[in-house]
Structures are given as C-alpha cells and as structure tokens.
Amino acid sequence: MKRLFATALLLLWGLTARADGRSATIVYIDGAKYYIHTVQPGQTLYALSRTYEVGEQAIRESNPSVATGGLRAGESIKIPYLSAVAGEPSEKRLRRAFDLHFVSAGETLYSISRLYGIPIPTIIADNPALDPIRLRLGERILIRRQEIGTENEAGSLRQWEEYRSSLNRVAAPGAVYHLVEPGETLYSLSRRFGTTEEELMRLNAGLRAANLKAGAIIRVPGVVVPSEEGGQLVAAPIDSMIRPDATHAGGDPFADRVIEAIDFRALRRSERLDVALLLPLAQEGLAANTNYLEFYQGFLLGLDSVRMRCGCSVDVTLFNTGRDSAKIARIVGSEPFRRARLIVGPVYEEELAPVILHAEQEHVPVVSPLAHIDGINSDVLFQLAPDAACKYEKASNMFGAEKRITLIYGETTDSLFEREVLPLIGEREFRRHDYRYEHPNEIAKRKEQEGATSAADLTPLLDNDDDNLFIILADNEIDVERILAALASADSSLSARGHVRPRFAVLGNARWNRYANIDRTMFFKDRVTFISTYHAKRDSAVVTDFDSAYIRAFGTLPTLYSYRGYDTAQIFVPAMYNDIEYDLESRRYTPLQTSYRFSSSEGRRNHVNGEWTRVNYHPDFTITIE
C-alpha cells in the first residue's frame, strides 16, 4: 500500500504547491528558469512578488497578458526562478551518493531516465541547473544511486509528458511543445503541423535533421488542447469535445419517416469482414488531429488482438472525413466504402445522415464511437458514449434513507452538477453549507472565542454519529481542493480528539480529474466517488499490458482516445461473427476496465451504451470500480 501511495505522489510531482506557497512546477524556457504558478482568486502582483521574492515588473515582463490585462484567477503564469547561490557538495560526497552521467550526442532526458530506470523528477531535482529539453553535449548529470532501477518505461513516459504539459500551460501564442515520436523527421513534422523545416529549426535553436531524436521535446506551431487525464487514473469524459449542441443543430433529418427494424446477418468464420473507419484526421489547411490518430492506433491494436484470438480475416479502410460533409458524400459513393459490412464513424452527428441511409439499405451496423446522438433515430446505429439518463444508477445507494446529505457550496456554483444531483435527492431532507476560505490561523482564533464559528471549519459537519454524504458543488479548482482538504483535516482532528470516527463519503464531479493542481491524495482521504464515462487504472494488469503494447507499437503512451479505439475493435469485430444478429442486447462487454451494455429506450431504435463507471477511492489508498 505504501508503494501505491508513493506512486500516486510521484505522478503529481509537478502539480502540487510547496509549503512556502510557491509552485513546485519549475521549467526551463529558452534557457531561463521559471515557476509555473496558477493564479488564485484575490491574488495580487504584490503578493506574488513577496512569495517568490521577485519584482513585480519582472513578472509583468515574463507575462504580456498580465502586463495588459492584469491577473486572472485560474490562469497559469511564468515567474522567474531566482535561486540563491550555494556551495556545490564535495566531490567525495557526490561520489558517495551519485553516479555521474555525461550527455552524449542525441540523448534526451527521457532516454537517460530509461537508461538508469530513474524517475525524471529525481534527475531534475538533483540537477537544478539542468535545462531538461536542451541538454548540452558533455554536460554532467547527477544520477542518484538510491533511485536507480525504481522507474519503468511507462512511468518515465508519463513524467516526460507531464513536463511537456507544464510547458504548454504557459506556451507563447501560436507555438506549443511536441514530444517527438519514433520515426518522425523534420520533414514529416513540417507536413503534420503545416509549416516548414526551416521554421521548425528557427523555433528550436540548434535543431537539425541529424540530431532530431525520438523522446525529444520541441516547439511546433499549434494551440494547446487541455488534457482530460488526471493523476494516477484515466477517468474523465472522453466525449467532452463532442457535445450534442455543437454537432447537430438541424434537428432529426428522419423525423417524418417510419423507423424500421433492421436484421443483421452474422458472418461465417471463413468470411472476410470489410470495415470502413471514418475519422476527421485532418481538415483542409489545418494540422492533423492527434486525438483521432490515437483512436485509429488503438483500433489497430484491438484488431490485431481479435485476429490472433479468433483467426478471422478483417480488412480496414481508413477514410479521412476532414469534417467535410461533401467529402463524406463522396466517400459513401466509393467502392471501398460500399463493400464494408461494419462502419465505424463518422464521429460527428451532423455527418451521419448519408452514412445511416446507406447502412439501412444494406443492413450494415454503424458505430458512433465518441458522440452523444440526439437527432438521429435508426436501428443500425450503436453509440458507445453512455446514456446520460443512466449516469447515476450506480450511485443510487449513496442516497439511501439513512444518509445525512450535505451540499457544500463555494464562491461559485457548478450549476450543471447541481441540476444532476438535486433530482437524486428528491424530497429528502438535506443540509446546505456555504464554504468561505479563511487562513488556518484565523480559524484557530475563532475557536478560542466561545460560540464563534467559521464557514471554513467543516468539523461541525462531521461531528455526528450519522452516515454522511457530502456533495461539493463549488465550481473552481481552488475551492474544490480547499473543501476536500478541510474535510480531511476535520476527520483527522475529530479522530485525534477521541471522537467516534466520522462516517462519510464525497460524491465528486469527474471534471475534477482535469484540474491541473488539485492534490489527489484528498480523493483517498475523503472517500471520493466519481461517476465517469471511462476508467482505466494504470496499475491494473490488463491496462498495463495494453500500455506496454501501445508503447512498443507507437512509441508513446496511450490516451483516452486510444483506449476507446481499442474497445471499439474488441467489441464490434467479434460481434460481426455472432452477437450482431441479436443487436448486442443483454451482453456486457469489458475489453479493458470500462464496461459497455447496449439497449434501446422507449421510442428510440438506437442501441445506446448504458454503462457508466463508478470509481471509489478508499482511505487505505486503494481504488475500486463498479
């Protein structure tokens, strides 16, 4: 259990704040060293200058947006890192605690981490003058002997990705940081990002075709897309980039027709399955969309696994839809598409109509892998995104009659989450607490005053013999973290004073997993439960095996899109030889850890996944899923 706790902390090496109030995320940009600080409500330049011991003007000069528009809560800014000069340890002491590594041509910090099996944060901490993305030939790096062999390939890659993400949080407009994958060249990168080799070399001083290596972090033209991942888990809404209101504004194109039942025919084992895969890999004049490339890569790995297990013959034709309706119409008329007996995509509802009309005529199933479908009703359509109506079915026992329910509000309210949970409470009695932050010293002073209370002290909410359920409806990262910390502190305080151990749990919003700076150890201490569209716990054997296979095949860590691509192939390719005849009804499919179960609701023919994942954090730092 201690190992799990240590791993959870390690994964958050760049995300937590230090005891002195300074950010623990430190990066090099163009040879200069910076803290990456997330602005909190009410913070001023004066306060930041005192905390970091750097002038206000230096902060303004490092952040043009601050100079023109001031500080904005939630914004990530760069603060110059000014370290005090200290004497270097003696050579004898260095030799006792460290091995010395001297940088060779083509080495990256990631490759050095892999060479010694040592965490990247450890190397950075032990070498404060080291620029992680611009190693100099012959540069000396200290390798802590005690940590050699403690990190595996997947862990190093996660840490290196996290460093890249930290850089991207403060990337200059129009340029982002990219992790070079095996096989990529300056030419392929220039084509992928819609630029020239000369521009890439200009953005990256000293970069040449000869010294571009896999595992290097370089700057490329582009924009930052926020990550959906959080901490040790991948548990976040994979479909969050494909919202119903953004994909189908024209209503149901089939509103005036009779929706007929479609019978599918299962293939014989000796028959070949032709699959049409429709993905918007790239749009005209824009760089390739890596999310859908990752989905395709996951699909290919799933397909390889099915072939080995079942011995079936499957051919896949990939069509780049480019988010172009005219292009999709041409695809539907093409011979390779018309041969397909299984269609996966397109991913946006607005593009589905011509595909559905063809599929109904030919009795071919169509899989919508990512979007919530609102306007199209058809018996050929299968939706992997879970039905919103089923979201809280697995949390129903949290709202039992014996529960003492308290809604905790912050400065601002998560209105969507509030609209979801209030119907679950129904006519039940519940309590409301309006949390307002106060410094711990102020809380202590209030406690000394007889009868005085503080909205920041949550001890009274836990000082009872009831089975408590807390629902945190704060709408910003800082309030959520403070409330979670206040609950954990109240729990520890009551237990230390000999009170009966409080019984409580927290129903959380899966959106918290996207917060960059939240301390995820609070999830364990506060028994947080999430209802999520997807879950893949990366220390489970099945996910670890997939991660390893994906890294071997593509040289990078899989994402939520990779997992969903794998699941799609694992469910629907075998089903074409059996379960498709029964519309996949009454079967639960669990390719990795997330389950799927398809059914049709009243008045709808679509086959929609009704399985949400319940993720439970426990005080012993274990996680269970339902």
Side-chain angles (χ1 to χ4, degrees):
M1 215 59 67
K2 291 179 180 178
R3 175 78 177 172
L4 175 60
F5 181 39
T7 302
L9 289 178
L10 179 60
L11 290 172
L12 297 166
W13 64 276
L15 301 181
T16 56
R18 302 184 338 186
D20 60 5
R22 300 186 185 185
S23 169
T25 303
I26 301 171
V27 299
Y28 268 88
I29 301 174
D30 295 332
K33 197 172 183 180
Y34 297 93
Y35 293 99
I36 305 302
H37 177 86
T38 301
V39 179
Q40 300 185 21
Q43 278 191 325
T44 64
L45 277 176
Y46 174 74
L48 290 177
S49 71
R50 295 291 299 273
T51 298
Y52 289 93
E53 298 180 351
V54 63
E56 294 180 40
Q57 186 59 29
I59 299 176
R60 291 192 189 94
E61 291 175 354
S62 299
N63 302 275
S65 64
V66 173
T68 58
L71 294 173
R72 294 191 296 272
E75 178 184 20
S76 292
I77 63 172
K78 298 178 294 185
I79 298 181
Y81 181 98
L82 303 177
S83 58
V85 177
E88 188 174 280
S90 68
E91 192 69 21
K92 182 178 179 181
R93 183 182 173 191
L94 285 177
R95 296 287 185 183
R96 188 166 57 243
F98 298 95
D99 285 342
L100 303 183
H101 178 89
F102 296 91
V103 177
S104 300
E107 283 190 317
T108 65
L109 196 63
Y110 170 69
S111 68
I112 293 171
S113 167
R114 293 302 311 121
L115 178 64
Y116 292 95
I118 185 172
I120 287 174
T122 300
I123 301 176
I124 293 175
D126 291 337
N127 298 271
L130 183 73
D131 183 343
I133 69 171
R134 290 184 178 175
L135 303 184
R136 301 186 302 274
L137 186 64
E139 184 174 11
R140 187 182 76 168
I141 297 179
L142 301 179
I143 304 296
R144 196 187 307 178
R145 286 180 182 160
Q146 200 172 28
E147 295 291 319
I148 291 176
T150 61
E151 190 56 84
N152 59 26
E153 181 177 5
S156 292
L157 189 55
R158 281 196 294 269
Q159 295 152 15
W160 199 219
E161 284 277 10
E162 181 54 49
Y163 188 82
R164 182 181 68 90
S165 297
S166 297
L167 290 169
N168 277 333
R169 286 166 58 194
V170 291
V176 296
Y177 290 87
H178 170 73
L179 181 59
V180 177
E181 300 174 6
E184 286 188 320
T185 64
L186 276 182
Y187 173 74
S188 67
L189 288 170
S190 67
R191 295 294 300 272
R192 175 176 178 180
F193 292 100
T195 186
T196 64
E197 295 178 60
E198 290 74 18
E199 176 64 10
L200 288 176
M201 290 188 286
R202 187 193 68 78
L203 287 171
N204 300 274
L207 178 65
R208 297 292 182 270
N211 62 10
L212 180 68
K213 301 293 182 182
I217 293 176
I218 65 171
R219 294 171 78 180
V220 297
V223 295
V224 176
V225 177
S227 169
E228 298 272 350
E229 296 190 13
Q232 182 188 8
L233 303 177
V234 176
I238 189 172
D239 56 303
S240 62
M241 294 181 66
I242 306 177
R243 294 297 186 192
D245 57 357
T247 57
H248 190 77
D252 188 349
F254 307 113
D256 297 327
R257 67 176 192 152
V258 176
I259 310 301
E260 297 182 355
I262 303 293
D263 293 325
F264 301 114
R265 179 183 70 84
L267 301 177
R268 296 186 298 273
R269 287 291 174 184
S270 59
E271 290 185 87
R272 184 185 71 185
L273 171 61
D274 286 294
V275 181
L277 184 55
L278 285 72
L279 298 173
L281 293 176
Q283 299 179 46
E284 188 70 28
L286 298 178
N289 190 317
T290 57
N291 293 329
Y292 302 120
L293 176 61
E294 290 154 357
F295 179 93
Y296 177 51
Q297 291 170 337
F299 187 89
L300 292 180
L301 278 188
L303 188 57
D304 286 344
S305 174
V306 171
R307 283 174 176 146
M308 288 189 293
R309 188 173 70 247
C310 303
C312 49
S313 174
V314 184
D315 283 347
V316 177
T317 302
L318 176 63
F319 297 93
N320 175 27
T321 62
R323 197 83 191 271
D324 183 337
S325 298
K327 193 171 185 179
I328 289 177
R330 293 194 297 272
I331 290 171
V332 171
S334 69
E335 180 57 29
F337 178 85
R338 301 186 79 83
R339 287 199 307 265
R341 306 313 304 159
L342 171 65
I343 302 169
V344 179
V347 299
Y348 295 99
E349 183 174 354
E350 63 192 13
E351 302 168 339
L352 270 170
V355 176
I356 294 293
L357 293 174
H358 164 82
E360 288 179 339
Q361 183 176 353
E362 300 297 327
H363 289 213
V364 174
V366 177
V367 180
S368 175
L370 301 169
H372 288 277
I373 306 301
D374 281 346
I376 292 181
N377 185 8
S378 174
D379 198 23
V380 300
L381 186 58
F382 293 81
Q383 175 184 308
L384 273 74
D387 185 354
C390 305
K391 183 170 183 179
Y392 288 100
E393 288 180 356
K394 291 183 177 178
S396 58
N397 65 340
M398 299 185 74
F399 293 84
E402 75 286 358
K403 297 287 185 178
R404 178 189 177 105
I405 301 172
T406 303
L407 307 186
I408 304 178
Y409 288 80
E411 292 284 353
T412 56
T413 299
D414 187 338
S415 300
L416 177 59
F417 193 28
E418 183 184 44
R419 288 197 300 270
E420 289 179 339
V421 299
L422 287 178
L424 302 175
I425 299 173
E427 300 300 320
R428 291 276 316 283
E429 177 186 357
F430 67 88
R431 295 160 181 80
R432 172 181 176 136
H433 182 83
D434 291 300
Y435 175 87
R436 295 295 181 268
Y437 175 73
E438 278 190 300
H439 192 278
N441 292 341
E442 294 299 320
I443 297 176
K445 288 179 182 177
R446 284 180 180 273
K447 286 184 175 180
E448 292 175 358
Q449 303 170 16
E450 186 174 350
T453 60
S454 167
D457 181 12
L458 302 188
T459 306
L461 302 185
L462 279 174
D463 195 7
N464 57 67
D465 296 327
D466 296 325
D467 194 356
N468 293 277
L469 172 63
F470 297 111
I471 303 173
I472 300 173
L473 295 176
D475 193 34
N476 69 76
E477 176 178 0
I478 295 169
D479 270 357
V480 169
E481 181 166 37
R482 284 172 170 170
I483 293 168
L484 289 172
L487 282 173
S489 175
D491 180 25
S492 299
S493 174
L494 288 169
S495 299
R497 283 154 40 196
H499 290 237
V500 176
R501 184 83 188 192
R503 291 187 297 154
F504 74 99
V506 172
L507 178 63
N509 189 337
R511 184 164 62 93
W512 297 353
N513 282 295
R514 284 178 269 167
Y515 289 153
N517 296 303
I518 199 165
D519 181 359
R520 284 168 173 77
T521 59
M522 294 297 111
F523 294 172
F524 295 98
K525 292 182 178 181
D526 289 336
R527 300 98 159 146
V528 174
T529 289
F530 293 121
I531 305 299
S532 175
T533 62
Y534 203 90
H535 180 85
K537 186 182 175 188
R538 279 188 160 144
D539 64 353
S540 72
V542 63
V543 176
T544 298
D545 289 346
F546 175 77
D547 285 357
S548 298
Y550 193 92
I551 292 170
R552 287 195 301 272
F554 305 110
T556 186
L557 199 67
T559 67
L560 294 172
Y561 288 87
S562 312
Y563 292 127
R564 181 57 65 82
Y566 177 84
D567 290 353
T568 304
Q570 286 279 310
I571 294 171
F572 285 94
V573 172
M576 291 302 297
Y577 292 90
N578 188 357
D579 290 349
I580 197 63
E581 288 193 349
Y582 310 103
D583 295 335
L584 280 67
E585 299 278 350
S586 304
R587 281 284 309 275
R588 177 178 278 118
Y589 301 88
T590 311
L592 289 171
Q593 282 191 311
T594 295
S595 293
Y596 302 81
R597 185 173 54 187
F598 298 92
S599 62
S600 298
S601 58
E602 185 176 354
R604 301 278 287 177
R605 289 282 189 180
N606 300 4
H607 309 280
V608 180
N609 171 32
E611 284 289 295
W612 290 78
T613 299
R614 173 170 167 169
V615 184
N616 307 295
Y617 290 73
H618 303 289
D620 61 357
F621 294 97
T622 60
I623 299 167
T624 57
I625 61 173
E626 302 173 34

